[in-house]
Each structure stands twice: as C-alpha cells, then as structure tokens.
Amino acid sequence: MNATKGAGYGVRGTRVTLAVVACIALTAGAAHAGDAPAKKKIMLGSFTAAGVLADQLRSLENLACAELAQSRAYDVVCPDDINSVLKEQQLKMGLGACPDGDCMNVAEKLMNSDLTVTGAVEEKDGKWIFTLAIVETAGQKPRAKASAETVQNVEKLVAKVKPLVADLYKDLAAPPPPDKSSPAPEKKK
C-alpha cells in the first residue's frame, strides 16, 4: 500500500515537517550550549487555534520554537522540552531517585523564563489570522506582538512563521512600552 494513501498526504507531510523541525531545534539548542550564561530565557507556550488540526498546530509551535532559537541573544525553551523533562522527572520520582524533591526543581528551573511567547490562529471572514506575542513572564507585561493574515492554507500559514518571529525580535529590541499605570513625565517649559 502506498504510504500516502489512507493516512492523507497532509498528515504525513506534517509528521515529516515535525521531525525536521525537531532536529533543527535540537541542533540549534546544542549550538547555544557554550554561550555565555547571561542570556535571557524565552519559553514558548502552547498555541491556541480555530480551524487548524492539532498536528498542524504542534508543527507550527515547533517551527516557531526553532525560529526563535536561531537568535543567539536568548535561550529558548520549547513545549516539547518541558514535556520531556517533566516525564523524565516523574519517572525518577516513581523510582525513588529524587530523595529531596530535586526532580521537580529541575523542571521548575527549565520553566523559569524571563519572557513567554504565545501564539494563536483565529478564523475570521474565511481567513486565518496568525498572531505571536511576547510578554514578560513576571507581571505579564506585553513586550512585542506580530500578526499576519492568510488564506486558510497550512503551507501559507507555515510561511508566515519566519517573518512573524523576525518582527517579534525587532519589536523586542525596541525599548519596552511605557508603563500605563505611571503618570507621564511632565514636560519642562
């Protein structure tokens, strides 16, 4: 039987894309391992979506995470990284290999990030709107946001990831927006 029949080319293609993206993310993470420890950490949260299959959404998350990891200015933690560490630490706990609760401390350190990236795909007027945003993890202060509209086509959606991540980093490099809770400085006459 042909491998693409029955399973659907889109699902198989998504799995292949996911495998390639995971390899890229792992390679990028390994390349950053020797960098200075002063880098800020970005954690990618799970994306939300309307009208996109779960496998496709996960592929978007992995692709966005790989693109985010291309920056040498930040350490990037992906949802798959967190899930893997949590599973490993739970296994260690089950085997009694964590006498002082150190297992969950490892996971907590991994998730302790300076910035969090969120993503959403929404349906509107027969199109998809793909939005990525970065917030400061402590206090949830918005730092950067990028959005793009596309026809409801997964390939077109995937093509938006790289430019959206570039826009996020461009916005992030700019000074943070002023805190709206503080009054504006008075102008001198």
Side-chain angles (χ1 to χ4, degrees), residues 4 16 19 25-26 51 69 88 126 147 167 173 189:
T4 59
V16 170
L26 289 174
E88 179 184 342
S147 189
D167 287 348
K189 293 182 183 180

Side-chain angles (χ1 to χ4, degrees), residues 75 91 95 119:
D75 282 327
L91 179 62
L95 296 172

Side-chain angles (χ1 to χ4, degrees), residues 6 10 21 29 57 93 107-108 161 186:
V21 169
L57 187 62
M93 284 174 53
E108 188 176 307
V161 173
E186 292 183 32

